[in-house]
């Protein structure tokens, strides 16, 4: 009879561990992936901007419209043409009038990117990144938001910088809580400590709360189309308006992780109540 009484409790324990493992894996996967936001350029708007500046801007689409390359004609400031001493003496006070303007060309690249809580990555294949780097595009792979590129004075958007720091802080707290709850929960089950099981449930509630903060910050941090440092340094201001920020699949995965964490927290609290009146034997 005793074994029949403990059987439902063991099934509930197995369900709790299964949901807890799923919640931890889903939320950690969302935090560590870098598809929280997808950054693209509106093709029609880019073409309209290039047509507006058709005298100086030449637009070329690469790889079937995946990347836009804009060649911009620049005029260098007026410079004094170098003259020999005899000509300067002959011209006298009119020597300052011999100035010229040199024309150069600057190329900017409208490249799709995707970013996470920690990093910003170029949304191209390795071969495409290599070819684009040969053309002069300076970025490849992924850059960490805490790298010096994002801390250059004069290229920093304070709002974006604060939101990135807050999201990173919330993600770190989530990881710490998930790791600590695994230790406390294992101890509570092995030693049959009801207080440790209760604490595990509370820690999963806290992890879900900070996960919710992180999700909200990542969802609402793009209140403008400007960015700090790296993104804005690659395009001219007129093409920044054609940039589009969209949420990616990592954000959806994060919402799933938060909901599953809340379910796991409820199961841990119910498990503590069951253990109070029906002790679980692991032998």
């Amino acid at each position: 009879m005793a074994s029949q009484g403990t059987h439902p409790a063991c099934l509930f324990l197995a369900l709790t561990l299964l949901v807890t493992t799923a919640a931890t894996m889903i939320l950690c996967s969302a935090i560590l992936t870098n598809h929280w936001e997808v950054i693209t350029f509106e093709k029609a708007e880019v073409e309209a901007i290039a047509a507006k500046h058709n005298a100086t801007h030449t637009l070329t689409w690469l790889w079937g419209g995946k990347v836009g390359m804009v060649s911009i004609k620049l005029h260098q400031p007026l410079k004094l043409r170098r003259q020999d001493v005899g000509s300067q003496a002959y011209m006298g006070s009119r020597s300052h009038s011999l100035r010229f303007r040199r024309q150069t060309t600057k190329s900017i690249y409208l490249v799709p990117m995707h970013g996470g809580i920690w990093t910003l990555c170029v949304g191209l294949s390795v071969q495409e990144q290599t070819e684009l780097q040969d053309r002069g595009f300076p970025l490849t792979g992924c850059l960490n938001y805490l790298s010096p590129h994002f801390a250059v004075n004069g290229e920093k958007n304070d709002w974006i910088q604060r939101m990135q720091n807050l999201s990173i802080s919330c993600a770190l707290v989530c990881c710490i809580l998930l790791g600590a709850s695994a230790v406390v929960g294992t101890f509570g089950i092995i030693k049959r400590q009801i207080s440790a099981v209760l604490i595990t449930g509370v820690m999963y509630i806290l992890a879900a709360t900070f996960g919710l903060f992180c999700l909200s910050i990542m969802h609402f941090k793009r209140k403008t189309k400007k960015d700090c440092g790296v993104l804005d340094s690659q395009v001219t201001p007129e093409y920044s308006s054609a940039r589009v920020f969209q949420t990616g699949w990592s954000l959806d995965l994060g919402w799933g992780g938060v909901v599953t964490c809340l379910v796991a927290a409820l199961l841990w609290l119910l498990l503590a109540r069951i253990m109070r009146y029906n002790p679980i034997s692991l032998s």
Side-chain angles (χ1 to χ4, degrees):
M1 296 295 293
S3 60
Q4 294 178 355
T6 57
H7 183 65
C10 291
L11 289 179
F12 192 85
L13 173 61
L15 176 63
T16 302
L17 294 178
L18 179 63
V19 175
T20 300
T21 303
T24 304
M25 293 181 62
I26 292 174
L27 191 56
C28 288
S29 298
I31 290 174
L32 296 177
T33 52
N34 49 21
H35 286 80
W36 287 70
E37 58 181 358
V38 180
I39 306 168
T40 57
F41 287 86
E42 185 67 33
K43 190 173 181 180
E45 190 171 351
V46 170
E47 292 176 347
I49 296 172
K52 184 179 179 181
H53 301 83
N54 60 351
T56 56
H57 291 199
T58 303
L59 174 63
T60 304
W61 292 106
L62 306 176
W63 300 299
K66 184 182 293 187
V67 176
M69 183 181 71
V70 183
S71 299
I72 304 175
K73 295 179 181 179
L74 302 175
H75 294 284
Q76 296 290 348
L78 292 175
K79 295 183 178 180
L80 178 64
R81 191 188 302 271
R82 298 185 65 179
Q83 305 173 40
D84 55 42
V85 178
S87 61
Q88 289 182 5
Y90 176 77
M91 296 297 295
S93 61
R94 292 186 299 168
S95 62
H96 66 276
S97 62
L98 292 179
R99 295 176 179 269
F100 69 98
R101 188 183 296 274
R102 186 178 53 161
Q103 181 173 289
T104 59
T105 302
K106 172 186 177 182
S107 296
I108 63 172
Y109 298 91
L110 311 181
V111 181
M113 296 187 176
H114 56 86
I117 300 174
W118 321 90
T119 57
L120 177 69
C121 302
V122 179
L124 300 173
S125 65
V126 177
Q127 181 179 358
E128 291 171 343
Q129 291 184 43
T130 302
E131 294 180 13
L132 200 61
Q133 190 177 25
D134 294 338
R135 292 174 177 266
F137 187 69
L139 303 181
T140 55
C142 297
L143 286 176
N144 195 290
Y145 282 126
L146 301 178
S147 66
H149 294 84
F150 288 86
V152 179
N153 294 330
E155 294 184 349
K156 184 170 62 176
N157 186 306
D158 291 336
W159 166 263
I160 298 296
Q161 195 75 19
R162 288 197 300 268
M163 293 300 101
Q164 286 173 353
N165 293 338
L166 286 174
S167 62
I168 291 173
S169 300
C170 292
L172 286 174
V173 173
C174 278
C175 293
I176 293 172
L177 287 171
L178 291 175
S181 61
V183 176
V184 176
T186 303
F187 171 79
I189 292 174
I190 294 177
K191 298 297 183 179
R192 294 187 288 278
Q193 295 292 323
I194 299 176
S195 58
V197 175
L198 282 173
I199 292 174
T200 303
V202 173
M203 292 177 73
Y204 267 95
I205 292 177
L206 292 175
T209 302
F210 280 95
L212 181 63
F213 290 159
C214 184
L215 288 164
S216 302
I217 292 170
M218 291 296 292
H219 186 80
F220 293 109
K221 77 173 186 176
R222 298 293 184 183
K223 70 175 186 179
T224 67
K225 291 189 176 183
K226 289 186 66 62
D227 191 86
C228 60
V230 171
L231 287 184
D232 286 344
S233 65
Q234 304 305 316
V235 298
T236 54
E238 59 265 24
Y239 289 98
S240 296
S241 60
R243 194 160 49 199
V244 178
F245 294 97
Q246 297 174 320
T247 56
W249 56 265
S250 294
L251 191 69
D252 299 330
L253 191 65
W255 284 112
V258 167
V259 173
T260 315
C261 277
L262 290 176
V263 175
L266 178 62
L267 291 177
W268 279 100
L269 296 178
L270 291 175
L271 180 64
R273 186 175 181 85
I274 291 174
M275 291 175 62
R276 183 182 299 274
Y277 301 104
N278 191 3
I280 297 175
S281 176
L282 299 179
S283 59

